[in-house]
Amino acid sequence: MKKTIYKPNSENIQKAVQILEKNGLIGFPTETVYGLGASAISDTAVTKIYSIKKRPFHNPLIIHVSSLEQAKNYGIFNNNSEKLAEKYWPGPLTLLLNMPIESKISAIAISNLQSVALRVPSHPVALDILKEYKKPIAAPSANLSGTVSATMASHVFNDFGDDIEMIIDGDQCTHGIESTIVDVRSDNVQILREGAITKDQIFKIIKSNLDIYAGSRILAPGQLEKHYSPKAKVRINAKKPNADEYFITLGREHEETHTNTINLSKAGDLHEFAYKLYACLRDLDSKNVKKVAISPIPDQGIGTAINDRIKRASKR
C-alpha cells in the first residue's frame, strides 16, 4: 500500500531531486504542513500540481528556497522584508515580494501576478532537498484543493496514492498549521494569512504600519473563502455540542460533558491544539462523521490563525 512513502535518508533525498529534475511531483514534510513539490521554473511541472490537486489556477503557489541569499534571485527585498527574513527564516513565514523584471519562476505558479510568495522552511528534510536540488520548489499543501491539509505522510498518500512518485516521511509536522503570509512589497505591510508567526511578532521586527488584508483579490494562498474543509459539516464557536455532533475542544471546561468529546489540549495550549487539529479532522472524515462542533478558540497568538482556518472550514 505505502510503496510511495520513503524514509528521509540521503539516498532518498537524491531520488527526490531526480524526480524534480524530470518535472515529477514529490510529497515532503515542512514544519507547517506537508508540501506537494515540483520545479518552480517548469510550466509542465507546476501544471501537474494544479491538475492533481484540482486547484484553481488563480490561486498562486508558495515558492520554497534554501536560503535568503537564494530568495534574492527571485524576489525584490526591501528593509522590512530583509529584517523579517533574517529573523524568521528558516521558519513558518512566507513573504510576498515584487518580482525582478526577468524571473525564471513559472508564470503559472504565481497565477500571472507580478509578485511571488517565498519562504525558507526549517524542516531538515525540506532543507536537504532544497539544498541538493539548488533550484526553487513550488509547493502548496499536499492535499486536494480546499480540503484539510496533510500533517503526516499517510495523509498525503490517502489523498494521492501512487499518483505522485514519492512521499518522504518526516513524521508529524511541528506546527500543524500553514505559514503566516505577509505582503512586504511596500511600507504598508499587510498580513495575508495568519499563521504560527503572529502579528505581534511581526510588528516587533518592523515597528511600522501593519494591517490585516481585507481585500477580495487573491494575492497569495489561503485566501479562498472556503478552504481547509473536512467532509463533515463544521460548526464553530459552539459553547455546547448537539447530540449528533463530535465536539472538538481544549482546556478542562468541557471535560467528559459529551460522549463524543475530543480534547486536543487539556492544558489549553493553543500550539498543541493547532498541532493536532488537522489530523483530528482527517480522522473524523475517515470515520464518516457527518457533523463536528468546535468550541470557542481564544483569538490570541496562534489562536488567531486557528480561528481563520476553522472559519473557512465551516463554509458550505
Side-chain angles (χ1 to χ4, degrees), residues 9-10 18 23 75 124 141 152 171 174 184 196 247 250 271 281 284:
N9 55 39
S10 57
Q18 291 168 11
N23 291 333
S141 55
M152 293 188 279
D171 295 325
T174 306
V184 282
F247 188 43
L250 77 166
H271 287 274
L281 291 173
L284 293 178

Side-chain angles (χ1 to χ4, degrees), residues 1 19 31 43 46 56 61 70 99 117 121 127 137 139 149 152 158 175 177 179 215 220 222 229 242-243 249 280 301:
M1 169 185 158
I19 291 170
E31 73 281 14
D43 288 348
V46 169
L61 308 177
Q70 188 185 28
M99 293 181 62
L127 280 175
I137 297 175
S149 298
M152 293 188 279
N158 290 342
H175 293 291
I177 202 164
S179 63
S229 302
N242 297 322
T249 188
C280 174

Side-chain angles (χ1 to χ4, degrees), residues 75-194:
I76 299 172
F77 283 76
N78 56 27
N79 188 46
N80 283 332
S81 53
E82 191 132 1
K83 281 182 181 178
L84 287 170
E86 288 173 350
K87 176 66 177 178
Y88 292 116
W89 280 1
L93 178 69
T94 296
L95 300 176
L96 186 71
L97 305 164
N98 288 316
M99 293 181 62
I101 295 174
E102 293 186 8
S103 175
K104 294 182 179 179
I105 300 295
S106 164
I108 298 171
I110 57 172
S111 301
N112 290 307
L113 298 171
Q114 297 303 309
S115 55
V116 61
L118 292 172
R119 109 172 173 95
V120 180
S122 63
H123 196 291
V125 174
L127 280 175
D128 283 349
I129 294 170
L130 285 160
K131 288 174 182 176
E132 286 294 321
Y133 184 50
K134 297 182 175 63
K135 298 171 190 173
I137 297 175
S141 55
N143 56 285
L144 295 170
S145 184
T147 65
V148 180
S149 298
T151 56
M152 293 188 279
S154 58
H155 296 164
V156 185
F157 185 87
N158 290 342
D159 276 16
F160 301 118
D162 295 326
D163 289 340
I164 57 177
E165 297 175 63
M166 183 181 209
I167 302 166
I168 298 185
D169 190 350
D171 295 325
Q172 187 164 349
C173 300
T174 306
H175 293 291
I177 202 164
E178 298 81 3
S179 63
T180 306
I181 303 179
V182 184
D183 184 348
V184 282
R185 293 175 295 169
S186 70
D187 290 337
N188 182 30
V189 180
Q190 294 184 306
I191 295 179
L192 302 180
R193 180 176 73 186
E194 302 276 4

